[in-house]
Amino acid sequence: MQIAVLGTGVVGRTLAPRFAELGHDVTIGTRDPAATAARQEYADWQAAHPEVGLATFAGAAELAALVVNATNGDATLDVLAQAGELGGKIVLDISNGLDFSGGFPPRITFPQDDSMAEQVQRAHPAALVVKSLNTMTADVMAHPDQLPDPGTVFMSGDDPAAKEVVAALLTELGHTDVVDLGDVTTARGTEWMMPAWLRVMGAVGSPYFNWKVVRGG
């Protein structure tokens, strides 16, 4: 599958080579490829991962069947606007809208009756938005098997076929418990888990953990 990963931060640089390792054709999208390639940090990373391409947001998304929004919440709508026509494409949104301007803990940047995923879906009504992977750190997204128990990963979205594709990709990554929460509005629940995730990280002293749904009778 052709995959565009929008964003050159830690999440993008963690997921892109993992998708390539799994056999997908992966291109990272950025605002200015020349400027990105000139950054020493990115140049070193690119040298280690020559299998991953680099293009503008629109260039990366143009031929992709699946577009991964690996940007932070504040940049999401602007980046996806630059990605061009997303109609018919699966948009895997893993962003969280967090405001750290007042310090820690951060505030959620949208009201309780909305979510980042819903904002993306409204901005791109013909896109097939699926929210997932936003409830864990990047290394656990890409390599859940590093935990004694991979835990649970959630999905939200309106299109059943798009969620089937995302669920298959999550399984490829090594996630063994994929819970479909329902339509895109259910992303409100998982996006509001992020402040709790940050507090748990502080308490246990590490980001290497995951949530787990333990089912009863």
Side-chain angles (χ1 to χ4, degrees):
M1 181 165 53
Q2 287 189 295
I3 299 177
V5 177
L6 307 186
T8 59
V10 172
V11 176
R13 296 198 313 271
T14 301
L15 285 176
R18 178 68 170 130
F19 292 144
E21 178 187 349
L22 294 169
H24 300 288
D25 184 356
V26 185
T27 302
I28 279 192
T30 186
R31 294 180 191 274
D32 185 338
T36 296
R39 296 199 326 257
Q40 191 61 53
E41 179 186 28
Y42 189 86
D44 292 344
W45 178 89
Q46 184 73 81
H49 302 287
E51 72 280 10
V52 178
L54 179 66
T56 63
F57 293 130
E62 182 179 10
L63 299 179
L66 186 143
V67 176
V68 180
N69 173 35
T71 66
N72 64 55
D74 290 344
T76 288
L77 296 180
D78 177 50
V79 166
L80 291 176
Q82 294 182 50
E85 176 53 53
L86 298 176
K89 297 181 185 293
I90 300 170
V91 177
L92 173 55
D93 176 32
I94 58 180
S95 66
N96 285 297
L98 298 173
D99 176 10
F100 285 91
S101 63
F104 188 91
R107 299 178 62 186
I108 297 289
T109 58
F110 40 81
Q112 293 189 41
D113 58 354
D114 201 5
S115 66
M116 196 74 254
E118 289 171 86
Q119 292 180 33
V120 171
Q121 188 67 83
R122 287 196 301 271
H124 303 275
L128 310 175
V129 178
V130 180
K131 187 80 181 194
S132 192
L133 290 174
N134 63 303
T135 55
M136 62 196 75
T137 197
D139 282 341
V140 175
M141 294 178 194
H143 296 282
D145 57 353
Q146 68 185 291
L147 301 179
D149 183 330
T152 300
V153 62
F154 305 98
M155 290 192 309
S156 300
D158 293 337
D159 188 272
K163 287 192 285 189
E164 286 183 10
V165 172
V166 171
L169 185 62
L170 295 172
T171 300
E172 285 184 57
L173 290 171
H175 294 279
T176 57
D177 184 25
V178 181
V179 174
D180 182 352
L181 296 177
D183 68 23
V184 72
T185 66
T186 62
R188 301 172 190 177
T190 55
E191 292 186 22
W192 276 84
M193 290 169 71
M194 195 58 193
W197 185 94
L198 289 165
R199 287 165 173 80
V200 172
M201 181 184 70
V204 302
S206 169
Y208 292 96
F209 66 91
N210 197 12
W211 308 107
K212 175 72 175 179
V213 175
V214 181
R215 298 158 175 83

